Amino acid sequence: MQEIKITKTENSKLSELDFDNIPLGKIFTDHMFICDYENGEWQNPRIEPMHAIATHPATMALHYGQAIFEGMKATFNKDGMPLLFRPNKNAARINFSARRMGMPEFPEDLFIEGLKQVVSLDREWIPKKKGSAMYLRPFMYATEHFIGMRAATSYKFLIICSPAGPYFSERIKLYAEKKFIRAAHGGTGEAKAAGNYAAAILPTEKAKEKGYNQVLWLDAAEHKYIEEVGTMNIFFKINGKIVTPIRDGSILDGITRMSVIDLLRDKGFEVTERPITIDEIKEASENGTLEEAFGTGTAVGIAYIQEIGTEEGIIHVSNESPVAEAVNNTLNGIKIGEIEDTFGWMEAVE
Ligand SMILES: Cc1ncc(COP(=O)(O)O)c(C=O)c1O
């Protein structure tokens, strides 16, 4: 693995951070990891003081959208050791995204080492309050200056970090979207590509205007099958059994999703990944068998779903989510080292 050159800042901004009032996504730590892809190889991995990068107007990412990203969190355990949650899964997923978007894969060992070194350097920025974390954003984009439709020949891979205050899981309302779609079979829905999120912005704004928190995406062909939520995968508990939409090529392979499936099975629940229609959920709500509905994702952990709005009316979900809450508590406990990590998910940053 290539050595990472470190240039430390001489001008830390840490003292400007009010840990009791952290605006989400707006504050960035002192350092960033950066690596360039030129002449067919990744080179010059380095950590530098956080700085802006000049953008040539013909930078290909701006025109053709070769841009992918990851989202993960660093937490402290009770002994003050920073922990990463399943970073190898993010390393693998960014390379899945890279392949789909015609971009070069990033070496997975360098991805993890870059994460560890930047988290270690900026460890003082990790908020200590329970439920807080430092959000980590690895991303890659095409940097070549060229007007023309083909894969770029140069890219940058970066990791930036942003402290995040405590998150309290609230009950959320979703709007089942039938006009707009997020992803179609053969499209880019399974990749964490920036363009997927761009396409989701207008429908999300419209859902918010109607009083909903996020969009519930349905399949592109029939608007019948449930896929996922804005930035979360989705689970239902129907008649004692847990179901979640099957990964069929158009939903994101959520790392929280795969972990929640393991935790639920470990707790003795039957979990089935299968196609789920919105009509089935409506019927279960009406006949009293829809016991819980919840979203899973890095940003929120687990979000309890209160209702789903549709063109035909509201699907009500029970106000209590005992199973989702139990899983959330276990997951959060593992992430801060309070519950034994029997799955071997946590990776310490020495
Ligand atoms: C579209 C979408 N689905 C699902 C998820 C949940 O994935 P993860 O649990 O890996 O954060 C995310 C968040 O990354 C997302 O953006």
Side-chain angles (χ1 to χ4, degrees), residues 29-47:
T29 63
D30 284 332
H31 298 93
M32 62 186 188
F33 175 86
I34 181 162
C35 192
D36 306 312
Y37 184 86
E38 302 282 351
N39 304 318
E41 56 187 284
W42 286 104
Q43 35 191 284
N44 195 13
R46 58 205 185 273
I47 289 175

Side-chain angles (χ1 to χ4, degrees), residues 73-260:
K73 281 178 172 175
T75 39
F76 272 131
N77 72 7
K78 53 187 184 313
D79 306 319
M81 168 87 79
L83 300 175
L84 300 174
F85 182 70
R86 310 189 80 175
N88 56 325
K89 295 289 179 195
N90 297 90
R93 191 169 66 183
I94 203 166
N95 282 338
F96 176 88
S97 303
R99 288 192 295 275
R100 176 62 186 87
M101 304 306 286
M103 301 165 81
E105 292 186 33
F106 192 77
E108 293 188 12
D109 53 354
L110 193 53
F111 179 101
I112 297 196
E113 192 54 30
L115 272 172
K116 284 186 172 175
Q117 292 208 18
V118 80
V119 168
S120 175
L121 207 56
D122 285 342
R123 61 197 295 147
E124 298 300 324
W125 288 80
I126 306 176
K128 294 193 175 71
K129 258 192 206 161
K130 209 168 181 175
S132 310
M134 186 158 78
Y135 187 79
L136 310 173
R137 168 54 58 87
F139 64 106
M140 189 198 297
Y141 66 99
T143 53
E144 190 188 351
H145 310 158
F146 180 70
I147 298 289
M149 226 307 268
R150 61 154 169 76
T153 57
S154 59
Y155 298 84
K156 274 193 194 309
F157 171 87
L158 294 98
I159 303 169
I160 57 175
C161 315
S162 178
Y167 178 83
F168 300 104
S169 296
E170 291 168 13
R171 306 200 80 79
I172 59 164
K173 295 181 185 182
L174 306 179
Y175 184 71
E177 178 57 60
K178 282 202 172 165
K179 179 170 172 221
F180 298 104
I181 58 151
R182 174 183 176 275
H185 291 282
T188 59
E190 211 175 1
K192 208 160 162 62
N196 291 343
Y197 296 84
I201 286 174
L202 176 69
T204 307
E205 294 298 316
K206 285 182 179 285
K208 284 185 180 164
E209 278 166 22
K210 292 191 190 94
Y212 293 94
N213 301 88
Q214 289 199 28
V215 171
L216 175 65
W217 296 110
L218 304 177
D219 75 287
E222 297 176 81
H223 303 313
K224 188 172 151 191
Y225 295 97
I226 292 174
E227 299 225 308
E228 60 185 316
V229 184
T231 54
M232 293 186 287
N233 296 107
I234 191 163
F235 288 74
F236 300 95
K237 179 162 171 272
I238 303 173
N239 227 352
K241 291 180 183 158
I242 314 280
V243 289
T244 187
I246 191 159
R247 287 179 43 227
D248 60 356
S250 60
I251 71 171
L252 196 77
D253 187 7
I255 295 161
T256 320
R257 174 187 184 276
M258 62 179 86
S259 309
V260 163

